[in-house]
Amino acid sequence: MEILLLPLTHSLSKTQLNSTHHLLKSTTTRSATRFLHHRHSNQNRQVSLPLTPGSDYTLSFSLGSQTISLYMDTGSDLVWLPCHPFECILCEGKYNPTTIPNPNPLNLTSASLVTCKSRACSAAHSSHSSSDLCAIVKCPLEDIETSDCKSYSCPPFYYAYADGSLIARLYTDSLSIPMSSPNLVLRNFTFGCAHSSLAEPIGVAGFGRGVLSLPAQLASFSPQLGNQFSYCLVSHSFETNTVRRPSPLILGRYSMDKAREKQLRNLEGEFVYTPMLDNPKYPYFYCVGFEGVSIGGRRITAPEILKRVDGRGNGGMVVDSGTTFTMLPNEFYEPVVAEFNRRVGTVYKRASQAEDRTGLGPCYYIDDSVDMKGRNVPQVVLHFGGNSSVVMPRRNYFYEFVEGDDHGKIKRKVGCMMLMNGGDFENSGGPAGLFGNYQQQGFEVVYDLEKRRIGFARRKCASLWDTLNQR
């Protein structure tokens, strides 16, 4: 079996977020909240914060006899889902169920509880040994000493989010991933089952670096499937009326005959790779070094905190599929914005009201008669560790939309820079920056776990889906 090809579904809710301002403001707020939660957590385990529509990508598979859909997230290493009966407190308005395939809680019909002595139980309760966990569920001492606590199940565990939380238990069941032929079935797939949550209505498929993640469990079945995965996010630009194409999620390494390989190269470019950095405090994060940003040819060097991770887990940049916008520490964000504004602000008037409404900035009123070809917006290049540079498409860092005044009468075109201020690093610790999924659109992002590196290649992602489906 060479690869598994799965569709990632992106959705926007027209009923919930019926204006561009509302959608952007909601997404910038959640991006900042998630990033700050990554920094400030005192827990040994940091779990993903699922985001509102506009930044979420879901995948579907079968568990037991039921089909479920979960958010795909490289920022966490656990698969969890809501189970029947399920109570979600303060979930009204969190999402529109019609935008998520198979949103109903799972009925546990064939699943089995995980034992307190299992490695999976220790991984979920990362601060406790298996003997401690068995003692919690009252396994007798003589059974703990002889490792004979199989009839005692793993105790429930608590997960806290930036704006919600849940209590879950570990189960195993057969997971079926749809393929052409035959279906791939993982007989003892481990997942968390939550019967109650606070403000968290949808489960998560964790793709982070940990034994409970989906790639790790795939690797135990088939190393060639679990040692590498990639995805290619089809550009959406917050437009609710666009035709939705699937974004390919590729598990395993693909190879092609010469004709197909040439076809793939025509999709736009070769991979550039940056090494993964180990983070002792957050071992499940995909951390990389970030060296700087070039604005219109002028390179602004990143501070040391972005280039490496220290022994306490502070610094570096996290590559995260579950956060929308890229976050930079304030000491680096300010010179980047100053250089961008030096080039754009002399041509276009600042749109401060749009900045307040969207949470983005700087924003400008765009006059196409002044700049028909967009030359007044400088090119942005991101420089990662390992001497790898990624040229960003303009739509990945400068979003243009039409807005009205307070009465909705005067329509003006506005453009906003899409990088965000992550705040002061000195007082917080943890990751110094975060590379979000909006900036990853139009690239195939590969996570090579065997060679411990992350790669980026420009792609027409919808065409990549079509090409791989021809195999």
Side-chain angles (χ1 to χ4, degrees), residues 85-257:
F86 180 68
E87 179 188 19
C88 189
I89 306 163
L90 300 180
C91 281
E92 296 79 9
K94 288 280 289 186
Y95 81 120
N96 180 356
T98 62
T99 67
I100 305 294
N102 312 300
N104 297 321
L106 183 77
N107 276 308
L108 289 177
T109 53
S110 55
S112 302
L113 281 162
V114 168
T115 173
C116 64
K117 268 294 187 181
S118 69
R119 183 186 179 202
C121 186
S122 295
H125 295 267
S126 55
S127 60
H128 294 281
S129 70
S130 62
S131 296
D132 287 334
L133 296 168
C134 289
I136 289 171
V137 294
K138 296 182 169 50
C139 180
L141 177 59
E142 59 270 23
D143 290 341
I144 295 176
E145 293 292 344
T146 58
S147 297
D148 189 21
C149 289
K150 293 180 182 177
S151 60
Y152 292 82
S153 58
C154 184
F157 50 91
Y158 168 78
Y159 276 69
Y161 294 88
D163 66 346
S165 58
L166 61 98
I167 294 175
R169 299 194 74 172
L170 280 185
Y171 285 82
T172 61
D173 204 343
S174 292
L175 177 134
S176 177
I177 298 180
M179 297 174 55
S180 52
S181 176
N183 276 358
L184 170 68
V185 178
L186 298 179
R187 298 288 177 195
N188 292 302
F189 184 77
T190 303
F191 60 95
C193 164
H195 291 288
S196 61
S197 76
L198 176 67
E200 298 299 339
I202 303 293
V204 175
F207 273 68
R209 302 166 77 181
V211 298
L212 294 176
S213 73
L214 189 58
Q217 294 195 62
L218 271 174
S220 66
F221 169 84
S222 172
Q224 65 265 33
L225 290 180
N227 285 341
Q228 176 171 305
F229 69 90
S230 64
Y231 52 75
C232 196
L233 304 179
V234 176
S235 299
H236 63 77
S237 296
F238 297 107
E239 296 167 7
T240 57
N241 55 354
T242 12
V243 177
R244 299 285 164 213
R245 295 292 307 276
S247 296
L249 170 63
I250 306 151
L251 299 166
R253 302 173 190 271
Y254 60 84
S255 58
M256 303 204 171
D257 57 36

Side-chain angles (χ1 to χ4, degrees), residues 401-415:
F401 61 99
V402 175
E403 71 153 15
D405 62 11
D406 290 336
H407 304 287
K409 295 179 180 179
I410 303 174
K411 302 290 186 182
R412 302 186 72 174
K413 188 176 181 181
V414 173

